[in-house]
Amino acid sequence: MTIHTLLVANRGEIACRVFRTCRALGIATVAVYSDADAGALHVREADTAVRLPGNAPADTYLRGDLVVAAALAAGADAVHPGYGFLSENAGFARAVEDAGLLWVGPPVKAIELMASKTRAKELMAAAGVPLLAPVDPAAATAGDLPLLLKAAAGGGGRGMRIVRDLAGLPGELMAAVAEATAAFGDGEVFAEPYVERGRHVEVQVMADGRGTVWALGTRDCSLQRRHQKVVEEAPAPGLDDALRTRLHDAAVAAAEAVGYRGAGTVEFLVSADGRPYFLEMNTRLQVEHPVTEAVFGLDLVALQLRVAEGAPLPAAGPPPPHGHAVEARLYAEDPARDWQPQTGTLFSFDVPDEPGLRLDTGYTGGDTVPVHYDPMLAKVVAHAPTRAEAVRLLSRALRRARIHGPATNRELLVRSLAHPDFTGARPDTGFYDRHLAALTAPAPDDGPARRLAATAAALGRAATRPATGPARFGAWRNLASGPQTRSYRAEPDGTTYDIAYRTVRGALLPETGERVVAAAPDRVTLETGDGLTRHFALAVHGESVYVDTAAGSYTFTALPRFTDPAEHTAPGSLLAPMPGTVVRLADGLAPGAAVEAGQPLIWLEAMKMEHRVLAPATGTLTELHAAPGLQVEVGALLAVVRDASAHQEETTP
């Protein structure tokens, strides 16, 4: 069967990625979209788009019946599921085929066999694939610790918990079951040994319907937050040939064991002593597939379409690999604040377009980042002859990108790529557990650079005002005017910079001593005392000022000269850090309850992740405005805790 029109049952970056290949192959494209995505890039890029009424994934992208109906209404021949949403849902794949449409994915039976991690492990054991032995939580002992609890039907870190204390096992098990049930409709959870400092290494496979299975090298995806990948690379560094061969052979055996067809990924955990253990098989295209494409010079989506049409793979084996590729996932989130997702208008989004770089994204400048979906903005990929060159190219591209709007993890990515554990090819899944605080702390030598950027911001804004006309009515004075001061708060750490400058004969003179080479509303050039000339690109949106330099980017909030007393919040107030839905409360939480500082009180779900709201101090809960199912906006008052120490000070004579 030849595909003429393809519907992508997804949104954002992956939909745009599939459309790109379709355009190259002459295939017409169909998008589906929720109300929140009505103006999204994937809708603008498709030849035809079909609305799925509503905003929440459960009402839109997860409604397989609506997606199939959309494909039929648009005259599509085939459906590509992308990743996430319904991509590994056997029932959806069967519904697509039952409707007479071509399913661009593996056989339904293969999806079913790999859908449950517990069942998949049984199959892999029979195929001789190395495994971690499961542990019965009810019979676990101290010798089994640490344990990893995992949802049998899960993915993306949902329903996953690390347990290091037997006393905490029942509570963590209950929480994992609740999260798995909410996320997947299946509360089955299993336990296995947690491998400290293990590496997440995976093998991309591609299989046709005629018995050929390619193992397309390895990828290292060890840098993860909340069990979701952040930085990926191919090939996985530091593996000897024997281990690579073992991983390739195991991946091929896994694919053959389930009669696989199309693109898939077999994931392994590699222990510190080099022993591999099967984790799971993802029966879909992976987010990180671009690094494999770069190294092997392939278009995996084109191969998916070719195989779905019934054609064989073009050769008995894959082409030889070349060079090294590294991918960074750019998220709208604040890593320093428990990875809180961010929403709002993305005013500017420009990543350098240079040889060796690739940008896969679902956003352009002016788009809005919604609250309902995963906060990933883009994947930035660098390919070069060596790993060091690829890392350097990627780091430079991230530093020079102009990203104005919601906070992102861009600075974390730059610092991660420069960390000795990463540059030394020693990644492991505990990287951010150990290093997050240091990677998100203000750099000790960044203060002067930020003050210089704040100076440029003040001078750029001063340059927007019209020049003062000639003095009249005896107002002339033979004295220099007094300095003007503007205050800017650096985001997100909150450091305030007071910038003083004078205007003399139309020229701007900062009190800090720099020489102003040029000043305009969008660009300032300063010469510092050491004779170095630095350029600053400026963009102002409301009270936010974005300053981009060759060395990095800064965001400032212009502070008013006088504050509004109404802006103050009562002490002990717990405010919603993001728009979302309250999913649960701490046991027994009610006005009058005693709470401890740092105790999780309220759980919010936003952008596919759960976020805890913690007690700010030890004291008493005096107000509770949250309840399960309540949808809240950012800044909404959830509860109030009265600080016990403050209360004691008030009552002490």
Side-chain angles (χ1 to χ4, degrees):
M1 176 180 175
T2 300
I3 299 173
H4 297 285
T5 303
L6 178 77
L7 179 141
V8 177
N10 221 290
R11 65 176 299 277
E13 171 269 323
I14 186 57
C16 294
R17 160 70 189 94
V18 176
F19 291 162
R20 186 167 66 242
T21 290
C22 288
R23 285 193 296 271
L25 297 177
I27 298 173
T29 56
V30 181
V32 289
Y33 66 94
S34 68
D35 291 337
D37 276 341
L41 182 61
H42 77 279
V43 179
R44 305 196 302 265
E45 289 198 345
D47 297 316
T48 305
V50 182
R51 174 178 175 244
L52 305 177
N55 290 317
D59 300 326
T60 54
Y61 299 108
L62 290 173
R63 283 285 302 275
D65 57 333
L66 296 182
V67 175
V68 171
L72 295 173
D77 310 306
V79 173
H80 190 298
Y83 55 72
F85 292 135
L86 296 168
S87 62
E88 295 181 276
N89 186 305
F92 175 62
R94 185 177 290 108
V96 168
E97 294 181 343
D98 288 346
L101 300 166
L102 192 63
W103 169 250
V104 184
V108 173
K109 186 63 176 177
I111 299 175
E112 289 176 335
L113 290 173
M114 288 297 181
S116 168
K117 291 182 173 65
T118 51
R119 187 165 56 229
K121 285 177 178 269
E122 294 171 358
L123 287 170
M124 294 303 101
V129 177
L131 298 167
L132 282 169
V135 176
D136 180 2
T141 67
D144 295 318
L145 298 176
L147 288 175
L148 182 64
L149 304 179
K150 301 175 73 172
R158 304 299 298 272
M160 193 175 290
R161 297 286 192 282
I162 299 174
V163 180
R164 301 181 183 278
D165 179 7
L166 275 182
L169 178 57
E172 293 289 2
L173 186 61
M174 185 181 302
V177 169
E179 188 175 1
T181 302
F184 313 112
D186 183 344
E188 183 184 356
V189 171
F190 67 95
E192 64 186 19
Y194 177 68
V195 178
E196 301 280 8
R197 294 197 175 233
R199 292 178 59 181
H200 184 116
V201 178
E202 57 191 34
V203 177
Q204 174 75 58
V205 296
M206 177 63 71
D208 60 21
R210 309 187 184 189
T212 300
V213 180
W214 287 358
L216 290 162
T218 58
R219 294 189 292 248
D220 189 290
C221 309
S222 298
L223 268 61
Q224 303 177 3
R225 59 38 163 178
R226 293 186 167 185
H227 307 290
Q228 291 184 317
K229 302 160 189 174
V230 177
V231 177
E232 302 107 339
E233 60 182 307
L239 305 183
D240 59 41
D241 290 342
L243 179 54
R244 289 184 189 278
T245 299
R246 189 178 183 192
L247 292 171
H248 291 173
D249 291 346
V252 170
E256 291 176 340
V258 295
Y260 203 79
R261 184 184 69 243
T265 298
V266 184
E267 298 188 343
F268 299 90
L269 184 67
V270 178
S271 64
D273 59 1
R275 288 180 294 175
Y277 302 101
F278 172 82
L279 286 175
E280 61 182 322
M281 184 175 187
N282 295 126
T283 53
R284 55 171 168 82
L285 194 67
Q286 289 281 88
V287 180
E288 58 272 20
H289 75 273
V291 292
T292 297
E293 291 185 322
V295 169
F296 283 89
L298 294 170
D299 183 332
L300 293 178
V301 173
L303 288 175
Q304 281 186 297
L305 298 172
R306 175 180 182 144
V307 168
E309 290 177 325
L313 288 172
H322 296 284
H324 200 96
V326 186
E327 172 181 290
R329 299 192 193 185
L330 190 63
Y331 286 98
E333 65 182 12
D334 189 345
R337 289 172 171 78
D338 198 27
W339 310 99
Q340 288 179 8
Q342 307 292 303
T343 61
T345 302
L346 191 63
F347 298 111
S348 299
F349 188 53
D350 298 305
V351 177
D353 183 10
E354 298 174 358
L357 290 176
R358 167 176 166 176
L359 177 69
D360 282 14
T361 182
Y363 292 93
T364 59
D367 288 345
T368 297
V369 181
V371 67
H372 309 282
Y373 315 114
D374 185 274
M376 189 176 76
L377 298 177
K379 303 177 305 195
V380 186
V381 186
H383 180 230
T386 68
R387 182 177 189 266
E389 290 173 295
V391 171
R392 182 176 62 194
L393 181 61
L394 179 57
S395 179
R396 174 180 166 83
L398 291 168
R399 286 197 307 270
R400 296 180 69 88
R402 300 194 72 189
I403 308 168
H404 304 158
T408 72
N409 66 335
R410 186 251 300 271
E411 181 62 25
L412 175 78
L413 295 173
V414 171
R415 292 188 182 188
S416 299
L417 294 173
H419 193 279
D421 280 358
F422 184 80
T423 58
R426 298 185 300 273
D428 69 83
T429 55
F431 178 84
Y432 286 121
D433 292 336
R434 298 192 306 275
H435 303 305
L436 182 62
L439 290 170
T440 55
D445 58 347
D446 196 40
R450 281 198 298 176
R451 174 170 284 280
L452 199 60
T455 300
L459 298 176
R461 297 197 85 187
T464 65
R465 292 189 286 275
T468 304
R472 295 184 181 181
F473 309 115
W476 182 86
R477 293 182 300 164
N478 190 23
L479 294 171
S481 63
Q484 298 186 57
T485 302
R486 293 290 182 269
S487 298
Y488 293 88
R489 183 180 66 233
E491 306 296 351
D493 79 310
T495 302
T496 299
Y497 296 93
D498 299 317
I499 307 300
Y501 61 90
R502 299 173 185 266
T503 305
V504 179
R505 298 185 181 89
L508 295 169
L509 301 177
E511 295 283 284
T512 45
E514 292 82 18
R515 184 174 76 87
V516 181
V517 178
D522 62 347
R523 189 172 178 84
V524 171
T525 300
L526 299 177
E527 182 184 297
T528 57
D530 52 9
L532 296 178
T533 298
R534 292 178 170 85
H535 304 289
F536 303 84
L538 310 177
V540 179
H541 297 282
E543 297 306 309
S544 296
V545 184
Y546 300 92
V547 183
D548 296 295
T549 75
S553 299
Y554 303 90
T555 302
F556 299 97
T557 298
L559 300 179
R561 294 185 178 183
F562 305 100
T563 59
D564 183 352
E567 294 179 355
H568 292 287
T569 302
S573 296
L574 279 71
L575 306 181
M578 70 211 70
T581 302
V582 177
V583 291
R584 59 192 176 104
L585 306 177
D587 291 341
L589 192 66
V595 299
E596 297 290 330
Q599 175 187 348
L601 301 181
I602 301 167
W603 282 259
L604 285 178
E605 184 178 80
M607 301 174 94
K608 296 175 62 178
M609 297 173 66
E610 278 194 4
H611 304 269
R612 301 179 304 168
V613 180
L614 311 179
T618 297
T620 303
L621 186 79
T622 59
E623 299 179 34
L624 180 62
H625 303 281
L630 179 68
Q631 292 188 338
V632 297
E633 296 298 323
V634 63
L637 180 63
L638 301 176
V640 177
V641 173
R642 188 174 191 185
D643 189 333
S645 60
H647 176 63
Q648 184 177 5
E649 291 176 3
E650 292 173 3
T651 56
T652 300

